Amino acid sequence: MLSVGLTSIPAKCLERLVSHITSLLTDESQFAYKPNQSTEYALILPIVLLYHIIDVVSEHLNKNANNFVRVLFIDYTSAFNTINPPMSMKKMVSQPGIHSNIINSLYNFLTNQTQTVKTSANTSDLIKDLIRTPQGCIISLWMFSFYVSDMSCQHDNMKYIKYAVKTVVLEFLTATQTSNLQDEGDNLSNCCADNDLLLNSNKNKRINLH
């Protein structure tokens, strides 16, 4: 069954009014939900992202025949539904340039949702929404970008590349170096636990590139 969350027209207008705060996002590893991007660019962005990964990996491999790269692909389960509103607001407070009125408005929006389920034949009673951010809601997209903006590599020879609810961890190694990708994965797992994020173990993969 297809389930789509729809907010009201006034709510969508208000979301658009505060969407300018995406320009304040300082996470350079995040590729998705950037401001001033066209629909066409959004469609080709996964291809651009793939070429970017290939480019940085190839650059390292071409430096020395013995170099190699370990790659960890991370996927989150029900990412928008696991966003913690109080924690989200705390992270947004740390971002310079976001007015407290916007933060308070977003918090009220995320914590006072009600919902009803409508099928072709019936409509359920109105209940309080238990989902953290509504699926299909405009702000759910860039709220997640802010939510994971403080998750970064703990090792100098690694690089995070984020695209929406997926993260790629690249570890650049030489023949004499010992991999710390397991430690990085453990750190990422702990960060997810601290932020109420759920890792999708069925889609998380690790590969070596030579």
Side-chain angles (χ1 to χ4, degrees), residues 71-173:
V71 187
L72 180 62
F73 295 93
I74 298 296
D75 187 80
Y76 302 99
T77 299
S78 302
F80 299 148
N81 295 347
T82 56
I83 292 178
N84 184 307
M87 194 177 298
S88 298
M89 301 306 106
K90 186 176 181 179
K91 292 184 179 186
M92 294 184 73
V93 167
S94 65
Q95 293 281 343
I98 304 180
H99 197 280
S100 59
N101 288 342
I102 294 179
I103 296 175
N104 292 333
S105 297
L106 288 173
Y107 180 77
N108 289 332
F109 177 78
L110 294 175
T111 55
N112 291 284
Q113 291 283 345
T114 56
Q115 72 173 9
T116 184
V117 178
K118 185 176 182 180
T119 66
S120 57
N122 299 291
T123 301
S124 71
D125 294 333
L126 196 67
I127 62 172
K128 188 170 183 178
D129 196 347
L130 301 179
I131 297 176
R132 305 297 182 92
T133 55
Q135 188 73 25
C137 180
I138 297 171
I139 65 169
S140 296
L141 304 175
W142 47 263
M143 278 292 294
F144 188 79
S145 296
F146 276 102
Y147 198 64
V148 298
S149 62
D150 58 349
M151 298 173 64
S152 58
C153 290
Q154 303 300 302
H155 299 84
D156 294 336
N157 66 327
M158 294 187 188
K159 179 182 179 67
Y160 274 26
I161 297 178
K162 303 173 186 175
Y163 178 70
V165 297
K166 302 182 186 299
T167 297
V168 178
V169 183
L170 302 173
E171 182 183 31
F172 305 97
L173 296 165

Side-chain angles (χ1 to χ4, degrees), residues 61 65-69 208-210:
L61 296 181
N66 294 320
N67 285 358
F68 65 100
V69 179
N208 292 338
L209 301 176
H210 297 270

Side-chain angles (χ1 to χ4, degrees), residues 172-184:
F172 305 97
L173 296 165
T174 64
T176 58
Q177 284 182 293
T178 301
S179 173
N180 291 306
L181 192 60
Q182 182 62 54
D183 292 339
E184 189 68 37

